[in-house]
Amino acid sequence: MRPFIPILIALSTALIFMIDLHFPIGFAPWLPYFLLALPIARLYEPRTLLFATALWSVAIMGEPFLPPHSGEPLPLAVFNRTVGIATLWILTAFLYVDGQGRRARQASEANLQAIVEGALHRVVAMDRRGTVVEWNPQAEKIFGFSREEAVGKPLVELIIPNDHRAAHIEGLQRYLATGSER
């Protein structure tokens, strides 16, 4: 990730907040906050997202106690900011849960990949169409194709002898249709 992206997002958010402080236009400035929340949630750890939401909440709650914007009554300002903060926390909760799930999936995929790569036996996996989706170093040694050469190609073209290809394709179709090998 390029180091200027988080800085650009933070500066954009601060600029939106400052514009909202001086030139209020109702709920419209909240939309960019929410749009910026998505990349922020992807760039930072979930705890950082929660901390940033807490800081923004304090800043937003303090805003109604500044002089009212263009004659906006103080109770309306408090209501607008309260709704904005509640919405911000709801969005943060969804993004936090999504971030935790995404990180758990990435960790699980990395563990599985480490197991496959470190296996002492060949590991070859294919999808429902018969296309190779996994090919470990042992399979490279046994079959003579690199991972780059094998992944994405039909398995029958790589390791099934010509005289058995029709039977393999028929068996795969039967298995996919019935769940049975016979």
Side-chain angles (χ1 to χ4, degrees), residues 125 131-136 145-154 158:
T131 304
V132 174
V133 293
E134 189 55 62
W135 190 270
N136 77 344
F145 297 101
S146 71
R147 184 176 199 287
E148 292 78 24
E149 292 172 315
V151 171
K153 296 236 170 69
L158 298 172

Side-chain angles (χ1 to χ4, degrees), residues 103-113:
R103 283 175 180 73
R105 280 189 308 278
Q106 288 171 343
S108 176
E109 289 170 4
N111 287 340
L112 180 60
Q113 189 64 33

Side-chain angles (χ1 to χ4, degrees), residues 1-16 36 39-40 43-44:
M1 174 176 52
R2 295 189 173 135
F4 68 87
I5 292 174
I7 294 168
L8 182 64
I9 290 172
L11 288 174
S12 300
T13 307
L15 178 65
I16 293 165
L36 285 171
I40 288 171
L43 293 173
Y44 298 109

